[in-house]
Amino acid sequence: MANHRVEHLTERQESIVRYIRECIADTGEAPTVVEIGERVGLNSRSSVHYQLRQCEEKGAIIVEPRRARGIRLAR
C-alpha cells in the first residue's frame, strides 16, 4: 500500500473528509455534493466543488469526474 502524503487541510476541508469517511463506512458509498454542502454549511454546489478540488490537490481524496458519488479516500 502506498503512503500518501497529505498537505495541511483547513478545518472545513477536514470536516468534509471526515464526513466522506463516515458516509463510506456507514453506507458503502460517498455522499453527494449537495449532502456535503448541507453537512458543512455550504449553500453553493460550486463552493463544495472548490473545497473538493482543494482536498484532492492536497492528496486527501480522489474525485472521479462525471461519476455520481465518485469520491474516494486517498489515505
Side-chain angles (χ1 to χ4, degrees):
M1 176 180 272
N3 228 354
H4 295 282
R5 185 171 200 134
V6 178
E7 291 182 38
H8 174 72
L9 298 174
T10 65
E11 219 174 286
R12 175 163 277 152
Q13 292 164 356
E14 284 285 351
S15 175
I16 289 170
V17 172
R18 190 175 319 112
Y19 180 54
I20 293 168
R21 184 179 297 114
E22 289 171 9
C23 284
I24 292 172
D26 292 346
T27 67
E29 58 187 16
T32 65
V33 170
V34 172
E35 291 168 340
I36 293 169
E38 289 172 353
R39 177 66 174 255
V40 300
L42 293 171
N43 296 322
S44 164
R45 290 186 338 180
S46 65
S47 295
V48 176
H49 281 290
Y50 172 80
Q51 293 297 332
L52 290 173
R53 276 194 309 275
Q54 294 300 305
C55 290
E56 185 173 36
E57 288 177 10
K58 293 178 179 183
I61 62 172
I62 298 166
V63 178
E64 298 173 12
R66 295 175 301 281
R67 183 162 176 221
R69 300 180 185 268
I71 303 169
R72 295 183 293 134
L73 297 172
R75 48 180 164 151

